[in-house]
Amino acid sequence: MLIDQKLIDECIKGKREAQKKLYDVLAAKMFGVSLRYAANKEEAEDILQDGFIKLFQNLQNYKGKGSFDGWAKRIFINTAIDSYYNKSKSLKSVDTLWESSEGIIQDNDVLSDITVEETMRLIQQLPEGKRSVFNLYAIEGYTHKEIAKMLNISENTSKSQLAKARKILTKRMNQINKVQKSKSTVS
Amino acid sequence: MKSNLDDLFKRKLENVEISPSDEIWANIEQNLSDLPNVNKSGISYTKPVILSAIILIVAFFIYLGVDFKNETENTAITAESMHNRTIKPKPTIEQNQNANNFSNHAISIRKYYQVDVPEKMNSKKPTWIHSKENHLSIFPKKDELVVFEKKGYYLNAPGIEKDDKILFSDSDGEIRLTYKVKTVTGQFLFIDLSDLEKGYYSIEIQKNRTGKVHKHDAIKIQ
């Protein structure tokens, strides 16, 4: 279903039916985005819920420039970033546990052999800050300069976090690759 | 520089769609029902906000005028009333929310506090504060303080649930007030802060369901 201006106008007027329609159109896609930025399903649900409330509160600010999907997605990304700030202090100690990971991908096809859920889990297992940077850079396509501004960090920190995120993901993928190969050898 | 790893994940996850549970919409709908009814007419809420601000300012100055007159008439009474205003913090209090007294509180202002949100905190846009201004204004009446948003200010705490706790700790780290959410009427909370002395407080939200703790920077009550 397309999102037209009439539907948006009705949502701005507070028509619940229209709001539900808009939710139905966006929910699955935005839940996919939320899951990427969250550590687990519960956190993603919080981001989704808060994001939709912000979206409905700010609909009148959408001026029709660019796609509505893109505008909405930015709200959910910002909500996820807000959530990251709320937790950042308590997660610092966990963050350091991952920093010594290294390695290169031994088989690029490994990702095509695992499910979306497993791929999502790889992202979710990244420490909070690295997960945000990896999502923003690798998947959304933001530059380090833009990420630095969004996360209130330096560009160098953004680059460093991305490099560490890649190392962690590479290591995890190689582990999965080994397991898959050993399974195929046994069978 | 983009790596092939980035592309692998981008291809796999960029357009993933996963349906959330039905409970999510139910929660959103409940939150939307409890929001101030600012957009339903489709009219900008700028004018009502300005009007409300004018009414509040006028009411405040009327109160100041009455208070000033009393002070000039009887200095002894003023001294006594000032003494009575001294607030002793209690370690823990719990109270019910009452979200239906918005208009009453907006009119009957007996005291005025302002809570400054430090600039660094504002830049982080914490989700529980939804304000374009640099401060939240708190208008207490009797034993209750009301934190309003926009028309006045509300404390905005989306995702807050029954049995969640909000802890206010002083600069020594001692918990001065524990607010336990007994009923959820939406994302807006009414919290009695009148037992807190002036000063800086850090805030923690303890989620009962998940056990998670959301920490926030210090606020100042002055």
Side-chain angles (χ1 to χ4, degrees), chain B residues 199-212:
Chain B
Y200 287 90
Y201 295 87
S202 63
I203 300 174
E204 281 184 21
I205 297 178
Q206 294 182 347
K207 301 285 289 177
N208 180 58
R209 186 166 57 90
T210 60
K212 286 175 192 162

Side-chain angles (χ1 to χ4, degrees), chain A residues 12-13 16 20 28 31 43 49-50 53 57 82 86 89 105 108 111 114 137-139 166, chain B residues 1-2 4-6 8 10 12 18 25 27 29 31 33 35 39-40 124-125 158 187 212 217:
Chain A
I12 292 171
K13 288 175 186 171
R16 190 68 77 237
K20 178 68 166 65
F31 194 42
E43 269 186 33
Q49 189 175 311
D50 293 350
I53 291 163
Q57 283 180 315
D82 286 347
N86 291 339
K89 286 179 187 173
I105 310 171
N108 281 349
L111 205 58
I114 63 174
Y137 185 90
I139 301 181
R166 283 171 174 163
Chain B
M1 195 184 5
K2 290 269 179 190
N4 62 342
L5 181 87
D6 296 358
L8 287 171
K10 186 178 169 76
K12 197 91 178 182
I18 298 170
W25 170 250
N27 290 340
E29 194 173 22
N31 276 311
S33 301
L35 284 173
N39 283 330
K40 287 189 176 177
K124 289 183 179 180
K125 297 175 188 168
Q187 69 188 92
K212 286 175 192 162
D217 289 320

